[in-house]
Amino acid sequence: MILNAIHSGDGAPVVLLHGLFGAARNFGAIQRALSPRFRIIALDLRNHGDSPHGADMRYPAMAADVSDTLRALGVEQAAVVGHSMGGKTAMALALTAPETVGRLLVSDIAPVPYAHGNTGIAAAMQAIPLSPSLTRQQADAALQAAVPRPDIRAFLLQNLRFGAAPRWRIGLAEIAAAIPDLEGWDDIPGAYDGPSLFVSGAESDYVLPEHRPAIKTQFPTARFVAVKNAGHWVHADNHAGFLAVMEAFLRNWR
């Protein structure tokens, strides 16, 4: 599968992979900050943004999408940055096609299974009646019980197109069916020996001390950084802090 890509800048390639229910454009501020020095390629992962839809959302399949897309773009090797679902995709890519990944930055996720309630969120999104009269306020109210935080509801509703024929631009049915795979982690053999950095939000509980042995087993060079004043959405919660970490990690990238 060839993924939709947003390109900017010139120089050594850096690939950005978003999280669940997100899109390439979520990294817009990061992309603008880095594009004067790097060739930034932000991808819509399958069933997200403007990329094609497909039923298989296991991480080896998602990693193969990224690999195929980079090959189609003539990119032999890139620094790969992934947040949450995108971070697991990046890890899978580093394990299955290590020659493609010059260095790896994983944002607020570990190679372990999670149970973070995304099944309920997907069900609430699917339950919104897509009638021609649907307003954003009605859609927001329909999500409130499953998603108490207004900012997260606004994030989710970026995927809904309103008007005479409202529709989800994402492959919501495919995503909902694949939540167990997305929250899980495939048993991918091997290890990635390239430079790797695991960045977490200091206020997030996604990457815990007990996850470090699993990380070190497959990413033996891994270093760890916690960004202050940030939860799971590290790059959005503390843009300046996350950007400083990224810039330091990419300083000697080609």
Side-chain angles (χ1 to χ4, degrees), residues 71-93:
R71 190 178 302 112
L73 294 173
V75 176
E76 294 183 0
Q77 189 180 71
V80 180
V81 178
H83 170 247
S84 197
M85 177 188 74
K88 283 190 169 181
T89 303
M91 286 188 280
L93 179 65

Side-chain angles (χ1 to χ4, degrees), residues 156-172:
L156 296 172
L157 290 176
Q158 289 178 354
N159 294 301
L160 183 57
R161 294 290 175 261
F162 294 88
R167 64 178 181 86
W168 292 101
R169 69 192 294 242
I170 57 175
L172 182 55

Side-chain angles (χ1 to χ4, degrees), residues 4-7 14-16 24-25 27 31 40-44:
N4 180 61
I6 299 176
H7 305 264
V14 178
V15 174
L16 306 178
R25 59 187 175 164
F27 283 109
Q31 193 161 13
I40 307 297
I41 305 168
L43 298 179
D44 287 330

Side-chain angles (χ1 to χ4, degrees), residues 197-221:
L197 180 67
F198 283 71
V199 180
S200 59
E203 299 170 8
S204 172
D205 62 356
Y206 274 66
V207 182
L208 301 173
E210 53 263 38
H211 295 152
R212 291 197 178 191
I215 293 171
K216 280 290 193 178
T217 295
Q218 295 200 283
F219 305 93
T221 68

Side-chain angles (χ1 to χ4, degrees), residues 63-64 67 71 76-77 91-102 192:
S67 179
R71 190 178 302 112
E76 294 183 0
Q77 189 180 71
M91 286 188 280
L93 179 65
L95 293 171
T96 57
E99 70 285 354
T100 304
V101 182
Y192 172 72

Side-chain angles (χ1 to χ4, degrees), residues 227-252:
V227 176
K228 295 180 180 179
N229 304 315
H232 181 56
W233 285 269
V234 190
H235 58 282
D237 293 342
N238 187 344
H239 169 74
F242 183 78
L243 182 60
V245 170
M246 272 195 70
E247 288 178 327
F249 186 62
L250 295 172
R251 186 168 294 136
N252 298 321

